[in-house]
Amino acid sequence: MTNSTEPQKPQNTKKNKKKGATLDTFYGAKIQNTEQTEDNIKENAPKPSKGNGNSPQTYEEFESEMTKKMEAFWEEKLEIMQKKFTHLQNQFDQTVKENQALKARIRQLEDNDRVKEQESIKQSQNTKKLEENIKYLTDKVIDLENRGRRDNLRIIGLPDKPEINTKLDMVIQDIIKENCPEILEQGGNTATDRAHRTPSTLNPQKTTPRNVIAKFQSYQTKEKILQEARKRQFRYKGMPIRVTQDLASSTLNDRKAWNMIFRKARELGLQPRISYPAKLTIYFQGKVWAFNKIEDFQLFAKKRPELCGKFDTENQRARNT
């Protein structure tokens, strides 16, 4: 009696398990968790055929084959991830190098800016020194020009006529005889080296006569004539003229700036006087006061009730500009 044994069916090991959450990989692929994968392997395992009990593929072989496939799958994914990671690492290294290069460039620019700032300071100092030197040299040239004119007198208001211009030397002698004959009586040398009009060309828009510059042979005689001209009004054939020291144009402009203040100070009895090169002196409250600039005089006048508001220095400044 033969006992036919039916092949024992493998028990279905699948249980009603709740499927695990999916893994969202780096590339967006959805891979089931380990428990679900094992269940799928057992579920899809070939069932042993009835008969002699031999199955075309055993469970162990199927599990081994699926394991190899899973290993190959993960090896492929790992290789892709490694390539991607290597690419990111290279990008990171490149970013670090660029960042270091930018930092070096910034340090270089800061150093260059610091050097330029130091050079700018040096340039400013050199410029200041040059300006001081230029001012010193300019003042020196003006002073030398004024000293070169120390024997000259400037005659203002003398009519600009041909009969006068052709004999200026004789006209100057006539002016001396008419206004200060005592110089001639004392035997002073009133001879002139030359006399001429200035400027050399006549300005058609200028209505006043050109000044006359006379260079005397004797400095002492020139000073005596100038002192007499400061005391009283000089005339030529009854016509009023003015005799002053001949100075450089810049010095004359500096003196001209005092004109309004000078006239007002004379009206107030302050005995004003313009000293060389362009300094105003006045006699006030028993003292002699000297001013090199209009601003200094303006500040002085504001502090004295007797003088405050009597000198229109702002109007004088507007006229000069």
Side-chain angles (χ1 to χ4, degrees):
M1 180 177 175
T2 59
N3 294 326
S4 61
T5 59
E6 295 182 359
Q8 186 178 1
K9 294 182 180 180
Q11 295 179 356
N12 189 0
T13 58
K14 181 178 180 182
K15 299 180 180 179
N16 293 328
K17 297 180 179 180
K18 185 178 180 181
K19 294 184 179 181
T22 60
L23 298 177
D24 192 358
T25 64
F26 184 79
Y27 304 95
K30 295 183 178 180
I31 307 301
Q32 294 177 338
N33 60 20
T34 306
E35 293 181 357
Q36 184 176 354
T37 304
E38 292 178 354
D39 292 343
N40 289 338
I41 293 172
K42 293 179 181 180
E43 183 180 20
N44 296 327
K47 305 296 188 293
S49 60
K50 297 179 181 181
N52 58 5
N54 295 324
S55 62
Q57 187 179 19
T58 62
Y59 176 79
E60 289 77 7
E61 292 175 349
F62 176 77
E63 186 177 14
S64 176
E65 181 180 355
M66 292 300 297
T67 302
K68 291 178 179 180
K69 290 182 178 180
M70 292 294 294
E71 290 177 353
F73 171 79
W74 284 112
E75 287 178 357
E76 180 182 1
K77 294 297 183 182
L78 180 61
E79 183 179 359
I80 294 173
M81 292 178 65
Q82 287 177 345
K83 290 181 180 180
K84 199 68 176 178
F85 177 78
T86 303
H87 177 69
L88 292 175
Q89 184 65 37
N90 293 336
Q91 286 184 338
F92 177 77
D93 294 340
Q94 182 66 24
T95 303
V96 171
K97 292 179 181 179
E98 292 177 355
N99 188 28
Q100 292 176 350
L102 289 174
K103 288 182 178 180
R105 180 62 176 168
I106 291 173
R107 285 194 297 269
Q108 183 180 2
L109 291 175
E110 290 177 348
D111 294 339
N112 293 340
D113 184 67
R114 192 177 299 107
V115 171
K116 289 181 179 179
E117 184 178 358
Q118 294 175 354
E119 291 178 353
S120 177
I121 294 173
K122 291 181 180 179
Q123 289 292 338
S124 299
Q125 294 174 350
N126 293 335
T127 301
K128 185 177 180 180
K129 291 181 180 179
L130 288 175
E131 290 176 350
E132 292 176 353
N133 291 336
I134 290 173
K135 185 179 183 305
Y136 170 77
L137 293 174
T138 302
D139 294 341
K140 191 69 174 178
V141 170
I142 294 173
D143 182 67
L144 290 174
E145 183 178 357
N146 288 331
R147 293 182 184 277
R149 297 169 180 255
R150 65 194 302 268
D151 296 333
N152 297 355
L153 284 178
R154 181 181 293 263
I155 303 173
I156 304 171
L158 191 64
D160 195 351
K161 298 179 180 180
E163 58 271 20
I164 294 179
N165 296 338
T166 55
K167 52 178 182 179
L168 286 175
D169 293 335
M170 297 178 60
V171 170
I172 292 172
Q173 297 300 321
D174 293 340
I175 292 174
I176 296 173
K177 291 179 183 180
E178 183 177 352
N179 296 277
C180 46
E182 62 275 8
I183 296 177
L184 296 174
E185 295 173 358
Q186 296 172 2
N189 182 12
T190 60
T192 57
D193 284 337
R194 59 182 176 272
H196 60 86
R197 293 278 184 178
T198 184
S200 58
T201 57
L202 180 64
N203 185 358
Q205 297 180 353
K206 191 174 182 179
T207 58
T208 58
R210 293 176 293 168
N211 297 341
V212 174
I213 306 298
K215 179 177 176 60
F216 287 83
Q217 294 180 356
S218 172
Y219 172 76
Q220 289 78 11
T221 301
K222 188 252 350 179
E223 282 295 316
K224 290 179 180 179
I225 297 173
L226 186 60
Q227 290 176 5
E228 294 297 327
R230 289 171 179 166
K231 296 178 182 178
R232 58 182 180 273
Q233 177 72 59
F234 269 34
R235 294 181 178 275
Y236 173 68
K237 294 182 179 181
M239 183 180 301
I241 60 174
R242 189 158 62 96
V243 178
T244 63
Q245 173 70 47
D246 180 40
L247 298 169
S249 59
S250 58
T251 305
L252 291 175
N253 291 333
D254 292 340
R255 289 191 168 201
K256 185 179 178 181
W258 290 105
N259 283 350
M260 184 175 292
I261 295 176
F262 185 89
R263 289 193 294 267
K264 188 64 178 179
R266 177 179 289 177
E267 293 176 3
L268 296 175
L270 300 178
Q271 304 177 15
R273 182 177 177 181
I274 302 296
S275 304
Y276 180 82
K279 180 168 62 176
L280 174 69
T281 59
I282 61 173
Y283 186 79
F284 179 70
Q285 293 181 349
K287 296 182 181 180
V288 177
W289 304 83
F291 307 94
N292 292 317
K293 298 180 181 180
I294 294 179
E295 292 79 4
D296 297 338
F297 178 82
Q298 184 179 14
L299 182 62
F300 173 83
K302 285 183 178 180
K303 294 180 179 180
R304 272 71 182 178
E306 302 89 339
L307 304 178
C308 183
K310 296 182 180 180
F311 293 89
D312 191 1
T313 54
E314 294 298 331
N315 188 19
Q316 171 69 27
R317 192 192 309 276
R319 291 187 179 184
N320 294 332
T321 55

